[in-house]
Amino acid sequence: MRTEGPAATATVSARELRRVYGRGHAARAVLDSVSLAVGPGELVAILGPSGSGKSTLLNLLGGLDRPTAGEVVVNGQSLESLSEAALARFRRTTIGFVFQSFHLIPELSAWENVLLPARLARDRHGGRRRALALVETLGLGAVIGQLPIDLSGGERQRVAIARALVMDPPLVLADEPTGNLDAASGAVVIEVLANAVTAGRAVVLVTHDDRLARTAHRVIALRDGRLE
Amino acid sequence: MSAVVIRALAAIRARPASTLITALGLFLAGAILGSAVTTREALGGGLERAQRAAQTADIVAHFDPVALDTLGPRLDAIANIADWSPRITARPVNIATRRADGPRRTGTAEVNGLLLDQPRGLLIVAGRGLSGREDEVVVERGLFTAWHLRLGQGLRLRGRSGPLFVRIVGVSIEPDVLAFPLASRPRIYLPYETVRNRISTARGRLPVTAVAINVTDRTRLAVTLAQLRAASFGLDRVTIQTRTGIRLAIDQASGLISSVIVAFAIVALVAALVMIAAAAYARVTRDLATIGTLRAIGVSNPVIAASYAIEVAAIAVVAIGAGVVAGSVAVAGQAAVLLESFNELPPPHPLGLGHALVASAAVAAAGMAAGAPALIAARRPVVELLRGAAIVRTGRAGVIGSPLLLGARLALSRPFRLAAAVVSIAGGIAVVLVMASLARTLVATQDNPQSLGVRYSLLVEDSPGALDAVRSTPGVAAAAIRYEALAVNAYDLGQPLRIVAFDAGRSGVFDGRPLLSGRRSLGPGEAEVGEGLASSLGLAEGQMLIAAAEGGGEVRLRIVGVVREPTNDGRVAYADATTLLAAQPGTAAQIAVRPTAGTSPEIVKERLAAQGITAVPTGGLVPSGASFVAAVVALLRAVAAVNGAGSVALTLLALVVLARERSETVAIVRAIGGSRRHVAMLLGGAGLVLMTLALVTAVVAQWLLLDPIIERLLGTYGVLDVSLDGRDLALTAVGAMLAAIASSLAVALRYSRITVRRALHAE
Ligand SMILES: Nc1ncnc2c1ncn2[C@@H]1O[C@H](COP(=O)(O)OP(=O)(O)O)[C@@H](O)[C@H]1O
Ligand SMILES: [Mg+2]
């Protein structure tokens, strides 16, 4: 069921997003009247100084947080109308998330972390096939059996990216994916995300990295919670 | 204030939920301790306090009426007697309340006529003593309470010739007997003249029936007793009680209760401390990076450990303090009821030095339990700390099963953390198991009051050949041949002593009086003797007891232990069959029979009778009567409730702490699309692994550790069977598993409600 208008063709669209943290005196709009639309095969970079609301925006787009006002539509589905349970199911197949601080499960090996979304979606065979391909591309073959704690920062971030892509989601959201990486590791990450875009996925990423911003089709600047 | 304290206080403020959970755990541990200290202090000193306040006499002698003129000179002739006061006793005397004072109550009382207004041994707890007026009466507290009497109220007594009306002026306790209604007849006190003229049937000038005696030199009590026995020549039905003898008899009952309570408090406390240490270990595991950072900037190991110790100790001061008070309050009422029935006094202050000491020790222990893991952790290399390593690989690479198995793996991959959690939860479960056994035993005891404090409750006379048949009778836990003989000691002025003999080393198993000094007798020729016998003969361990058996043979026994013996004035020796039979070959053999826990001796008796074997019940050591046992059971139940509920709550807390630690994993699983069901299964899997291991550990711990410890602590007091019971175990296992599942579900639900973003940043 697709709605008409610009959102009809966009993988993710946001309308008049507002997010207020705190209550009463402490209430502060961290994000205000932000609208954007990203279509398939499009890579959009969000730039802005620290504290400008970039992560907040990404969390709202990915359904990890709910807006105070406004609406997010992903793949034609309004997130607002989904219950927490339905939202979880939706995320499982539709959205891949790469966190700035990796958020790998420390008790599971790299390989198991990559495979976890497929396991939750009961997609064992397809998941395995795609996971193998991703490990190959990301150059993780040598370390795939290790625990996150034994991996370098770059390796952890690549594992996190493989986990985000393993279900082949139409929307990929990445929060400073190269922020903690050296130049060489960063390059691999950029390549993989570029491949995802070529394969028709919508990618929205937050970055300070000029090289990464240059590969974007569009750059959106945030300042004090508003689009510039 | 040093930086260490500042960090500790900041940590308390920064984690309100963790602080609350720690505080709750410590509060429960404090409550368990408080209940133990309160009962211990109440029962431990109750009799002494009452006897001191009442100035209980060293010796009380009862006899059939004798003229004061006859008795006085004989007593005055004994050198060590400091003072004595006679009384006249008449019983049973009918008493009744008057109709004007509400519902009519009637009964029979023991009437005591007092020569002095304020005789020794009697403690006025309300109103005043007798003034000498004929119509005044003092009643014992037990009667006053049971009949809902008031001061100033009238009582009607049946006199020798017609009724007699008296007015209640005072309430008293007399700490040498149990109180009414435990004692079958209440005591009331009237002026001597009133009893002699209007009630007693004794003839002659100034008849007396009892005398309370104080001695000058207590160390020579044994000699005085012997002289007294000699002086009582010609008197009928003489019974002589000493203050120590009274204490022994009453201690036997209250000592049992204190021991049970202390035993359980120790077990529960150890469980609580293990939990605190486990929780601290968990904290430290999560804080490894912080510890590494502190080390990196040059803070020393002990300072880091102290900081964690202070954090918990600061919480403990408040929480344990409040817990000790709450635990005391929870059992104080029941302890007071029991004290009243023993005619004893409660401690002057409900919370005393003992409570303060125990609470301080517990706070210190909690601090150390928290500091130790930090100290151990901080010893690791700084680099390793900064990486926060505590995980091992589990499972075959690449195989992730269902979320349930995944949860199990999550639990197993932190073996040290898991072990700490298993041990702490197992401690709680073990306490619950012990409490369940205790409750079962208590219920059985209530049905069968005689079984409290004795190790065999039936004796089969005159058919030693039936031993095998008795042993194979259903409901018989153990049976052994027992011999009993009377003997006299040449230096002991004729009062016989009793020799009880089992096969070598078995008397401890079947009679097992509390050992006061020395050791159990093990081999032929060795004996344990009652305190009364040891003190009257001036014997100690290592010395020989030489006595002539009734049959004439000489018994030579080497004393290896002195025991607390409530019967026969403590004049009992426990020996082995070989020695006794050598001296007196014809001694009749009996079979002592111990029914299994929960089996009433009556049933066993019937089963034996069906085989043609006649068994007779032996009396219990404690005063028989269901109301006494009910009072004991009520107190033990209050203590068991505090201990059991505390342990259940501690176990649940430990589960919640563990589930909370998984909050980040839960958030990640939800971020990548895991459903609430996935989260619940993940946590449930971890919880089930933990609970299964904890149950196994608890059973093994109880079997190998707790049972023997409790057996040791209580063993001297006879049967209180706390060994594992299949049904208790099954119920506890089901309860524990349900708790594991419920706590997983609760945490899953909680973390599913808040947004993933908040969950990822929580903690
Ligand atoms: N849960 C929260 N509660 C209150 N304020 C928050 C919360 N999360 C973020 N903020 C605030 O919102 C602002 C934007 O944060 P964020 O979106 O993380 O910025 P960035 O652009 O650096 O990613 C910051 O000032 C931050 O302090
Ligand atoms: Mg950010």
Side-chain angles (χ1 to χ4, degrees):
Chain A
M1 190 196 77
R2 299 198 158 220
T3 49
E4 291 307 310
T9 50
T11 306
V12 57
S13 66
R15 196 173 45 77
E16 290 296 307
L17 284 185
R18 181 178 162 80
R19 180 64 166 100
V20 179
Y21 281 126
R23 282 200 196 121
H25 282 306
R28 194 163 63 91
V30 179
L31 213 61
D32 204 0
S33 47
V34 171
S35 301
L36 65 86
V38 183
E42 195 179 3
L43 185 133
V44 172
I46 301 173
L47 291 176
S50 172
S52 58
K54 306 182 297 290
S55 296
T56 303
L57 175 57
L58 221 56
N59 286 328
L60 292 177
L61 295 181
L64 295 187
D65 196 5
R66 293 195 185 257
T68 312
E71 189 188 23
V72 177
V73 176
V74 177
N75 243 12
Q77 172 68 56
S78 166
L79 301 190
E80 192 185 0
S81 59
L82 294 179
S83 68
E84 279 297 321
L87 197 56
R89 262 196 312 278
F90 187 71
R91 272 199 304 267
R92 200 183 301 160
T93 51
T94 317
I95 304 171
F97 221 107
V98 182
F99 302 96
Q100 184 175 0
S101 46
F102 321 131
H103 284 319
L104 298 177
I105 294 182
E107 292 94 343
L108 298 182
S109 70
W111 173 246
E112 290 160 345
N113 265 289
V114 172
L115 222 48
L116 189 58
R119 180 64 198 75
L120 295 180
R122 296 171 182 277
D123 176 15
R124 216 174 287 211
H125 294 291
R128 230 183 122 75
R129 192 169 34 77
R130 289 190 301 274
L132 279 172
L134 282 167
V135 167
E136 175 85 7
T137 322
L138 287 160
L140 287 170
V143 297
I144 204 65
Q146 289 178 14
L147 292 172
I149 207 154
D150 298 324
L151 302 180
S152 72
E155 288 161 345
R156 285 185 212 181
Q157 189 60 296
R158 278 181 277 155
V159 171
I161 289 174
R163 186 177 66 184
L165 295 178
V166 75
M167 290 307 291
D168 235 346
L171 176 60
V172 177
L173 303 168
D175 197 347
E176 302 197 30
T178 57
N180 291 320
L181 306 184
D182 60 275
S185 303
V188 178
V189 168
I190 291 170
E191 191 193 322
V192 174
L193 288 176
N195 287 347
V197 173
T198 317
R201 272 175 272 306
V203 177
V204 181
L205 51 83
V206 168
T207 189
H208 290 299
D209 188 335
D210 283 345
R211 280 181 310 156
L212 191 49
R214 255 182 269 123
T215 61
H217 299 122
R218 218 158 16 114
V219 172
I220 293 173
L222 263 184
R223 182 170 293 275
D224 295 333
R226 288 169 180 275
L227 292 182
E228 272 189 339
Chain B
M1 223 188 323
S2 87
V4 184
V5 178
I6 292 171
R7 193 216 67 87
L9 296 183
I12 292 174
R13 259 182 281 120
R15 302 161 182 264
S18 306
T19 301
L20 198 69
I21 290 178
T22 307
L24 210 58
L26 291 169
F27 174 84
L28 292 166
I32 290 168
L33 278 178
S35 66
V37 177
T38 296
T39 27
R40 173 101 211 163
E41 296 213 325
L43 297 183
L47 185 68
E48 257 88 323
R49 279 189 295 274
Q51 288 191 336
R52 214 177 312 125
Q55 296 181 296
T56 299
D58 295 316
I59 303 166
V60 178
H62 291 266
F63 29 78
D64 284 352
V66 60
L68 194 55
D69 302 353
T70 317
L71 188 68
R74 292 199 197 174
L75 290 175
D76 290 336
I78 298 176
N80 194 29
I81 289 181
D83 63 64
W84 54 273
S85 66
R87 53 167 83 168
I88 184 167
T89 311
R91 62 192 154 176
V93 174
N94 290 330
I95 58 169
T97 58
R98 295 183 313 190
R99 232 174 248 114
D101 296 315
R104 186 96 187 266
R105 290 173 181 278
T106 56
T108 59
E110 174 191 306
V111 174
N112 288 271
L114 308 178
L115 268 178
L116 306 169
D117 331 338
Q118 193 57 282
R120 314 202 86 165
L122 194 66
L123 180 66
I124 303 294
V125 293
R128 58 171 173 80
L130 298 173
S131 69
R133 283 181 51 138
E134 233 196 12
D135 64 341
E136 287 179 351
V137 67
V138 166
V139 301
E140 77 155 281
R141 182 171 61 186
L143 180 74
F144 193 76
T145 314
W147 281 21
H148 306 289
L149 301 175
R150 281 174 296 103
L151 287 174
Q153 183 175 337
L155 282 184
R156 200 182 65 139
L157 272 61
R158 158 103 60 90
R160 220 170 29 224
S161 49
L164 179 69
F165 294 96
V166 288
R167 203 165 51 82
I168 300 171
V169 296
V171 182
S172 71
I173 63 172
E174 200 166 3
D176 66 343
V177 282
L178 294 174
F180 179 78
L182 297 193
S184 54
R185 222 167 261 143
R187 288 182 174 184
I188 65 174
Y189 306 88
L190 295 163
Y192 177 85
E193 299 296 329
T194 312
V195 178
R196 191 192 59 183
N197 298 340
R198 309 282 306 272
I199 299 173
S200 175
T201 49
R203 295 290 150 94
R205 255 169 51 77
L206 295 176
V208 295
T209 54
V211 60
I213 298 166
N214 278 303
V215 297
T216 316
D217 179 3
R218 289 226 178 107
T219 60
R220 293 177 53 227
L221 191 64
V223 178
T224 311
L225 279 174
Q227 291 172 329
L228 206 57
R229 276 187 209 105
S232 66
F233 178 77
L235 271 55
D236 286 327
R237 290 203 282 169
V238 182
T239 61
I240 297 176
Q241 262 186 310
T242 62
R243 188 167 156 165
T244 345
I246 295 162
R247 191 168 56 78
L248 282 179
I250 290 181
D251 271 5
Q252 184 74 23
S254 62
L256 164 70
I257 299 154
S258 309
S259 296
V260 174
I261 287 157
V262 170
F264 293 138
I266 289 171
V267 171
L269 178 68
V270 169
L273 284 180
V274 169
M275 283 184 209
I276 292 165
Y281 176 81
R283 251 304 290 295
V284 166
T285 321
R286 269 178 297 158
D287 279 8
L288 281 182
T290 311
I291 294 177
T293 312
L294 291 172
R295 289 274 313 282
I297 62 172
V299 183
S300 74
N301 290 350
V303 172
I304 291 173
S307 179
Y308 280 86
I310 288 170
E311 190 183 321
V312 168
I315 302 172
V317 167
V318 178
I320 290 183
V324 166
V325 172
S328 302
V329 169
V331 299
Q334 296 302 341
V337 168
L338 200 60
L339 280 180
E340 291 214 347
S341 56
F342 284 144
N343 265 331
E344 295 181 10
L345 290 181
H349 306 290
L351 292 170
L353 189 65
H355 291 86
L357 283 177
V358 167
S360 317
V363 168
M368 279 193 277
L375 193 63
I376 295 166
R379 288 236 185 82
R380 294 204 225 162
V382 176
V383 183
E384 202 181 298
L385 283 174
L386 285 171
R387 278 167 18 113
I391 301 170
V392 300
R393 276 229 47 130
T394 54
R396 264 185 307 133
V399 183
I400 0 175
S402 74
L404 203 65
L405 288 178
L406 186 61
R409 280 200 39 204
L410 293 189
L412 290 169
S413 60
R414 293 176 185 271
F416 291 109
R417 177 73 193 94
L418 180 66
V422 163
V423 170
S424 68
I425 292 179
I429 294 177
V431 173
V432 171
L433 281 175
V434 170
M435 289 304 145
S437 314
L438 176 66
R440 179 167 40 79
T441 310
L442 289 181
V443 170
T445 306
Q446 231 164 353
D447 293 341
N448 172 32
Q450 265 78 25
S451 71
L452 189 67
V454 292
R455 303 182 146 212
Y456 55 91
S457 46
L458 292 171
L459 274 178
V460 175
E461 311 267 6
D462 303 327
S463 44
L467 185 61
D468 287 337
V470 171
R471 279 186 176 150
S472 55
T473 302
V476 172
I481 300 282
R482 176 185 188 273
Y483 301 91
E484 182 175 329
L486 290 178
V488 285
N489 179 285
Y491 309 105
D492 201 26
L493 299 164
Q495 208 205 0
L497 61 104
R498 212 165 66 209
I499 300 178
V500 175
F502 285 91
D503 287 337
R506 303 287 287 165
S507 71
V509 180
F510 277 90
D511 266 313
R513 304 296 197 224
L515 200 56
L516 294 172
S517 60
R519 60 164 173 85
R520 292 279 176 218
S521 69
L522 299 170
E526 295 186 341
E528 297 160 29
V529 300
E531 198 184 17
L533 183 62
S535 63
S536 73
L537 293 180
L539 289 175
E541 296 100 86
Q543 291 179 303
M544 294 300 290
L545 170 70
I546 302 165
E550 275 174 319
E554 191 188 64
V555 187
R556 302 178 66 90
L557 292 164
R558 209 163 61 80
I559 298 172
V560 295
V562 176
V563 295
R564 178 179 293 164
E565 174 56 53
T567 65
N568 201 33
D569 285 342
R571 304 172 57 77
V572 179
Y574 292 96
D576 65 285
T578 326
T579 314
L580 180 61
L581 289 178
Q584 185 172 295
T587 312
Q590 305 165 311
I591 301 172
V593 184
R594 180 196 303 172
T596 52
T599 309
S600 127
E602 276 307 307
I603 292 177
V604 175
K605 188 180 154 188
E606 282 166 25
R607 287 182 190 153
L608 290 174
Q611 303 171 63
I613 303 168
T614 312
V616 293
T618 63
L621 281 185
V622 295
S624 58
S627 52
F628 169 76
V629 174
V632 172
V633 167
L635 175 61
L636 285 181
R637 193 176 284 148
V639 170
V642 171
N643 282 229
S647 295
V648 168
L650 281 171
T651 308
L652 289 179
L653 276 185
L655 281 173
V656 169
V657 168
L658 277 172
R660 272 166 52 90
E661 282 169 22
R662 306 249 176 246
S663 63
E664 195 195 347
T665 300
V666 168
I668 297 171
V669 167
R670 290 197 55 223
I672 62 173
S675 65
R676 195 178 291 184
R677 197 177 57 90
H678 285 139
V679 170
M681 284 172 76
L682 187 96
L683 289 172
L688 289 181
V689 164
L690 174 70
M691 221 13 127
T692 310
L693 291 174
L695 271 173
V696 172
T697 311
V699 170
V700 172
Q702 183 173 21
W703 181 40
L704 293 181
L705 216 65
L706 296 190
D707 249 11
I709 290 175
I710 290 171
E711 175 89 358
R712 254 188 97 86
L713 286 167
L714 301 184
T716 52
Y717 288 103
V719 283
L720 240 196
D721 183 33
V722 290
S723 57
L724 274 180
D725 171 88
R727 217 182 33 169
D728 292 348
L729 185 58
L731 278 176
T732 310
V734 169
M737 286 301 174
L738 286 180
I741 292 167
S743 65
S744 308
L745 285 180
V747 173
L749 212 60
R750 158 141 170 69
Y751 284 109
S752 306
R753 285 238 181 82
I754 61 176
T755 62
V756 177
R757 180 173 159 63
R758 266 185 59 204
L760 274 178
H761 289 267
E763 286 280 313

